[in-house]
Amino acid sequence: MHCDQDTLQPGHDAMVMLLSRESGSNAHPFWYAQVLGAFIISVDYMGVGRIMEFLWVRWFGVVPGYRWGLENARLPKIGFISSDSDVAFGFIDPSLILCACHLIPAFADGCTDSLLRHGPSVARERNTFDDWAAYYVNM
């Protein structure tokens, strides 16, 4: 049964999907992100006041070279983008989110601490110092 809306609390379990803005034959149809924070601010631009809502996210990327789909009998496989990249974190408009998504850790790929600097982080569960190397997107 499909819900009209999802309610998420920002943190390690708040995963969302958006329509991809990529094009091409190998472009994945969706983008995935972990919601780290939700913000509402009052903006005054040239005398016009407005309320803005936005989400702070940590982006996932598609695992390169991995073939997924019904013809391959495999779920899509994604992993966090390295924090060394300028696009690892970002801000999005909540209206762009299609729905929350359920990600399954790819247990066979193990964990890694190379994607985010070692130590505590708001992007990780408390007392956790590494991330799953990859996740499967549950369909």
Side-chain angles (χ1 to χ4, degrees), residues 64-124:
Y66 180 80
R67 301 191 58 80
W68 64 277
L70 295 177
E71 62 277 356
N72 298 311
R74 293 172 147 183
L75 295 171
K77 193 174 187 180
I78 61 175
F80 283 117
I81 295 174
S82 173
S83 62
D84 295 338
S85 171
D86 292 340
V87 296
F89 296 90
F91 297 97
I92 60 171
D93 182 339
S95 68
L96 297 177
I97 294 174
L98 295 175
C99 62
C101 61
H102 180 249
L103 302 182
I104 306 163
F107 297 108
D109 292 346
C111 294
T112 181
D113 63 356
S114 65
L115 299 173
L116 193 61
R117 86 175 162 78
H118 187 71
S121 171
V122 71
R124 290 193 184 121

Side-chain angles (χ1 to χ4, degrees), residues 5-130:
Q5 64 184 16
D6 294 313
T7 303
L8 295 172
Q9 179 177 349
H12 68 279
D13 285 333
M15 310 302 187
V16 296
M17 62 190 291
L18 303 81
L19 283 177
S20 171
R21 298 193 181 222
E22 298 174 40
S23 59
S25 60
N26 292 331
H28 192 77
F30 303 105
W31 285 347
Y32 304 92
Q34 173 189 19
V35 178
L36 302 175
F39 303 92
I40 300 173
I41 59 171
S42 178
V43 178
D44 186 6
Y45 179 69
M46 298 180 72
V48 178
R50 183 174 158 199
I51 300 295
M52 281 185 67
E53 299 175 346
F54 61 95
L55 301 174
W56 177 36
V57 297
R58 182 179 181 194
W59 290 108
F60 289 96
V62 176
V63 172
Y66 180 80
R67 301 191 58 80
W68 64 277
L70 295 177
E71 62 277 356
N72 298 311
R74 293 172 147 183
L75 295 171
K77 193 174 187 180
I78 61 175
F80 283 117
I81 295 174
S82 173
S83 62
D84 295 338
S85 171
D86 292 340
V87 296
F89 296 90
F91 297 97
I92 60 171
D93 182 339
S95 68
L96 297 177
I97 294 174
L98 295 175
C99 62
C101 61
H102 180 249
L103 302 182
I104 306 163
F107 297 108
D109 292 346
C111 294
T112 181
D113 63 356
S114 65
L115 299 173
L116 193 61
R117 86 175 162 78
H118 187 71
S121 171
V122 71
R124 290 193 184 121
E125 190 174 1
R126 182 172 285 159
N127 297 325
T128 303
F129 299 100
D130 54 11

